[in-house]
Amino acid sequence: PCAGPVESKNEAAMSELVPEPRQKPVVPMKPMGINANLLGYIGIDTIIEQMRKKTMKTGFDFNIMVVGQSGLGKSTLVNTLFKSQVSRKSSGWNREEKIPKTVEIKAIGHVIEEGGVKMKLTVIDTPGFGDQINNENCWEPIEKYINEQYEKFLKEEVNIARKKRIPDTRVHCCLYFISPTGHSLRPLDLEFMKHLSKVVNIIPVIAKADTMTLEEKTEFKQRVRKELEVNGIEFYPQKEFDEDLEDKTENDKIRQESMPFAVVGSDKEYQVNGKRVLGRKTPWGIIEVENLTHCEFALLRDFVIRTHLQDLKEVTHNIHYETYRAKRLNDNGGLPPMAVETEENNESNL
């Protein structure tokens, strides 16, 4: 009989301690029955057209680097990719002559125009990679060149009176040419991609794929993919940069089926079934460069130019360049790396 009042006292004390549940904020209802058409035409749909006109005026930049052993057809492939003599072009060179051998890292710029769209294309040709007797650290000059372009952009960016449009010489894409041995990647290939994948977008390419049978090609592609995965080498498009499910689905297909692209390059034309096609003449027929049953050149071109060119540029700016920039500013105590350059300029002026 005495337990009743004690329990009621305890319950009263507990109710004082427990806070009252907060009421959810009232969400205002969406206005109903307002039809934008009744208020007239605003013109939001012209924003895309405004952006198009603006970019058409300024044009586009794209910088592509080719790396690999001598004789793998790097320059020929880039010429085929852009349907123009854009690699190592000189006033006296024509299609019938042999392309001269690259002896130093050289950037060659061209303006390509198609359908009123101008693109400043820069091809960075590298010396035969891994041709020397001692190939220890032979990727260092290439890595140095890539970082120099980031440094150049950074110095322009931190200037007080900087240019309205900073010239972009940063390497947006590196085509790495793999020799069509049919066996496995060389330790040198793995070392290069391991070092350089941290600073640039690498797209592996199997060169001169016509030297392998279809079965050998399929097997070699699978082996290369496996070796890259085992060695933890990230090639473009990197998994962690997929922005949404649509990107992931599309890029997974490229990573699991297309990479590395097995390609054949040629800037010579032949007559096939009444049509002029780019191809290579062999004793058993003509290998058509743009025919998907012959090689994957068309897939590579679509990937680099028609679907992922803008993304290559964005990953370069937002990931690789930002990583370099953060490191440089951090090493410099958070200050722009301008002091040394200013002193050098003052000394030269004196």
Side-chain angles (χ1 to χ4, degrees), residues 241-253:
F241 306 146
D242 293 342
E243 289 187 0
D244 52 37
L245 189 61
E246 189 186 346
D247 278 0
K248 188 182 183 305
T249 308
E250 186 185 347
N251 290 340
D252 274 345
K253 192 177 178 185

Side-chain angles (χ1 to χ4, degrees), residues 21-210:
R22 286 186 184 179
Q23 294 220 344
K24 287 183 181 179
V26 180
V27 179
M29 287 181 66
K30 288 182 182 178
M32 301 294 287
I34 294 178
N35 188 343
N37 293 332
L38 297 176
L39 304 176
Y41 175 68
I42 302 169
I44 296 170
D45 59 353
T46 63
I47 293 171
I48 300 296
E49 182 59 22
Q50 291 172 45
M51 291 167 71
R52 192 188 73 84
K53 280 183 180 176
K54 197 96 173 169
T55 48
M56 287 277 278
K57 281 178 187 174
T58 53
F60 301 88
D61 292 312
F62 189 60
N63 308 318
I64 185 168
M65 176 183 266
V66 285
V67 179
Q69 277 179 292
S70 294
L72 289 180
K74 300 186 295 293
S75 303
T76 304
L77 185 83
V78 174
N79 288 344
T80 318
L81 204 59
F82 294 97
K83 294 193 174 182
S84 178
Q85 294 174 25
V86 292
S87 185
R88 282 183 280 177
K89 184 180 178 184
S90 66
S91 54
W93 182 68
N94 61 60
R95 283 193 177 192
E96 302 307 315
E97 292 176 8
K98 192 178 178 183
I99 299 175
K101 187 177 176 180
T102 310
V103 291
E104 60 183 348
I105 296 177
K106 196 175 182 182
I108 303 156
H110 302 266
V111 175
I112 294 178
E113 188 170 349
E114 184 182 56
V117 179
K118 283 185 183 178
M119 183 170 77
K120 190 192 171 192
L121 172 71
T122 303
V123 178
I124 301 105
D125 227 338
T126 57
F129 177 74
D131 288 352
Q132 297 83 8
I133 295 169
N134 180 9
N135 289 307
E136 193 179 355
N137 299 338
C138 62
W139 57 81
E140 283 181 354
I142 297 169
E143 188 175 15
K144 183 172 175 273
Y145 178 88
I146 292 167
N147 285 330
E148 278 172 358
Q149 308 319 305
Y150 290 145
E151 183 69 18
K152 203 183 286 185
F153 194 90
L154 177 59
K155 282 180 177 175
E156 284 289 348
E157 202 176 46
V158 297
N159 273 335
I160 294 168
R162 62 183 180 185
K163 294 172 185 172
K164 188 180 177 184
R165 192 163 181 258
I166 299 171
D168 191 0
T169 60
R170 297 169 298 179
V171 181
H172 300 126
C173 168
C174 173
L175 292 181
Y176 187 80
F177 284 68
I178 298 164
S179 188
T181 58
H183 300 296
S184 58
L185 291 171
R186 300 175 301 163
L188 185 60
D189 296 327
L190 294 169
E191 281 299 313
F192 176 89
M193 286 191 264
K194 203 176 281 183
H195 280 83
L196 272 288
S197 60
K198 295 179 179 73
V199 296
V200 72
N201 295 316
I202 287 182
I203 298 176
V205 168
I206 298 169
K208 297 194 170 179
D210 54 325

Side-chain angles (χ1 to χ4, degrees), residues 172-296:
H172 300 126
C173 168
C174 173
L175 292 181
Y176 187 80
F177 284 68
I178 298 164
S179 188
T181 58
H183 300 296
S184 58
L185 291 171
R186 300 175 301 163
L188 185 60
D189 296 327
L190 294 169
E191 281 299 313
F192 176 89
M193 286 191 264
K194 203 176 281 183
H195 280 83
L196 272 288
S197 60
K198 295 179 179 73
V199 296
V200 72
N201 295 316
I202 287 182
I203 298 176
V205 168
I206 298 169
K208 297 194 170 179
D210 54 325
T211 59
M212 295 186 285
T213 64
L214 293 174
E215 292 78 17
E216 286 171 341
K217 184 177 75 177
T218 305
E219 197 179 316
F220 188 43
K221 277 165 68 82
Q222 288 171 351
R223 195 176 291 131
V224 168
R225 279 200 296 269
K226 187 71 180 169
E227 285 188 64
L228 292 172
E229 188 184 335
V230 167
N231 287 276
I233 294 165
E234 284 282 337
F235 53 82
Y236 180 85
Q238 299 91 330
K239 288 177 187 175
E240 61 265 39
F241 306 146
D242 293 342
E243 289 187 0
D244 52 37
L245 189 61
E246 189 186 346
D247 278 0
K248 188 182 183 305
T249 308
E250 186 185 347
N251 290 340
D252 274 345
K253 192 177 178 185
I254 292 161
R255 285 187 285 256
Q256 292 161 16
E257 295 174 20
S258 303
M259 289 286 184
F261 294 96
V263 297
V264 178
S266 173
D267 45 18
K268 289 186 179 176
E269 289 185 337
Y270 295 94
Q271 195 86 13
V272 177
N273 299 327
K275 290 181 181 177
R276 301 288 292 174
V277 296
L278 287 169
R280 285 187 63 193
K281 195 172 185 180
T282 66
W284 53 88
I286 295 195
I287 295 159
E288 298 171 43
V289 167
E290 296 176 288
N291 187 335
L292 279 174
T293 57
H294 292 196
C295 80
E296 294 166 353

Side-chain angles (χ1 to χ4, degrees), residues 151 154-155 158 324-325 328-329 332 334-342:
E151 183 69 18
L154 177 59
K155 282 180 177 175
V158 297
Y324 178 86
R325 178 181 170 276
R328 282 291 283 119
L329 295 180
N332 215 42
L335 296 169
M338 292 299 293
V340 177
E341 192 194 33
T342 311

